[in-house]
Amino acid sequence: MSASDPQFITVGSGSDARKIAYLSQAPAQEGGPGLLWLIGLKSDMMSTKAEALAAWTAARGLGFTRFDYSGHGRSGGAFEDATLSDWLEEAAAVFQQVTRGPQILVGSSTGAHMALILLRHLMATAPEEAQRVPGLVLIAPAWDLTEALMWNQFSEEIRREIMEKGKWVRASDYDPAGYPITKRFIEDGRRHLIKGAGFDPGRPVLVLQGGEDRDVPIAHARELKSVLAGDWVRITEVADGEHRMSRPQDLEKLYGLIETLVPGA
């Protein structure tokens, strides 16, 4: 099996069971620190940033684990059937079953929201596991995406279509076919909102945000400072940066943020 061949874990049971594909690179030192990468919406674990992080962590002896949510990449399930609750269950399973030692959560766009709610979930259900997280690095954080960046931005016509037909297909610069936003996805997302929840992450939350991002406005990223309890959020703004933040100069900034959180560095 080559380094690019995924392994699988099964998450859920019965008709809800789905095979989740992951790749895991062990740290140079047993029990050493690593990163858990959380992908963006309709992305996959072989994206430009994920591949760059795989090479960067390997050169520094850090562990690196990445996976595809259900309905993405090489994991099972259909995108249209998935919810944030499903992806949270999958993220928690990968974190607890696959990773060992300290794990910096690194998430891009939707993955940034997933990193935040994964930490909150671990703090509530498995505090000893949450202690393995020294901090988070969030790229273009689409926190509360289903409400703040979707539902609240949709026209009455789009909202009506979702409520009456059960879904609406959203155009995307990243997928010519667009992707369906379902009523179930929106309603489930309300179970995982951060704003107004009084969530205190209890460790650094470092944000990398582009000033030219059309998908996650810079004002939305800045608001995270007042949404999260405690004084944990630090934002690095790149004036000419766009949503992907995958240019060499963007990646160098990303690496620098991660390095500040590596235990013992």
Side-chain angles (χ1 to χ4, degrees):
M1 184 172 65
S2 74
S4 62
D5 289 333
Q7 299 183 67
F8 294 87
I9 58 171
T10 299
V11 178
S13 59
S15 61
D16 188 45
R18 59 258 187 218
K19 290 181 66 177
I20 301 303
Y22 73 90
L23 293 168
S24 189
Q25 164 188 302
Q29 183 177 2
E30 186 174 354
L35 277 60
L36 176 63
W37 173 248
L38 294 129
I39 66 173
L41 195 70
K42 296 292 283 185
S43 184
D44 62 62
M45 63 178 171
M46 304 301 290
S47 69
T48 300
K49 287 192 292 292
E51 289 288 274
L53 281 170
W56 182 80
T57 51
R60 284 155 182 77
L62 300 173
F64 185 56
T65 301
R66 43 184 161 153
F67 70 101
D68 289 329
Y69 310 133
S70 55
H72 289 72
R74 288 179 276 188
S75 287
F79 177 83
E80 188 170 330
D81 296 334
T83 64
L84 294 185
S85 291
D86 295 326
W87 299 341
L88 175 58
E89 183 183 22
E90 294 152 15
V94 171
F95 183 90
Q96 294 179 275
Q97 296 179 35
V98 178
T99 73
R100 300 289 183 271
Q103 296 292 314
I104 300 166
L105 305 184
V106 185
S108 178
S109 193
T110 297
H113 181 69
M114 295 306 303
L116 287 165
I117 65 174
L118 172 59
L119 174 63
R120 182 171 65 181
H121 171 78
L122 293 172
M123 291 172 67
T125 64
E128 71 286 352
E129 289 285 274
Q131 289 176 6
R132 295 202 286 124
V133 181
L136 285 65
V137 177
L138 311 180
I139 306 160
W143 59 273
D144 285 6
L145 74 152
T146 55
E147 202 73 7
L149 299 178
M150 291 183 180
W151 189 255
N152 291 350
Q153 304 301 318
F154 291 162
S155 67
E156 285 301 320
E157 182 181 3
I158 292 171
R159 291 185 185 186
R160 191 179 308 113
E161 183 171 342
I162 290 172
M163 297 305 292
E164 294 178 357
K165 297 183 178 179
K167 68 178 180 180
W168 166 72
V169 178
R170 184 176 193 172
S172 171
D173 292 338
Y174 312 110
D175 186 341
Y179 54 88
I181 303 298
T182 66
K183 177 183 176 183
R184 182 167 172 259
F185 186 73
I186 293 293
E187 291 180 342
D188 176 82
R190 292 177 180 140
R191 300 174 55 195
H192 303 289
L193 299 179
I194 294 167
K195 190 171 185 176
F199 171 44
D200 186 340
R203 67 261 293 148
V205 177
L206 308 182
V207 174
L208 182 62
Q209 176 68 38
E212 300 295 326
D213 191 335
R214 294 183 300 161
D215 296 291
V216 178
I218 196 166
H220 187 72
R222 290 171 178 165
E223 191 182 356
L224 193 60
K225 296 188 73 169
S226 60
V227 166
L228 293 180
D231 186 26
W232 297 108
V233 179
R234 298 291 181 270
I235 302 178
T236 298
E237 297 182 2
V238 180
D240 64 344
E242 298 183 353
H243 188 63
R244 292 178 186 269
M245 295 298 288
S246 57
R247 300 172 303 177
Q249 61 267 38
D250 301 328
L251 293 172
E252 286 300 319
K253 290 184 183 296
L254 174 62
Y255 302 151
L257 293 177
I258 294 170
E259 283 184 320
T260 68
L261 298 179
V262 175

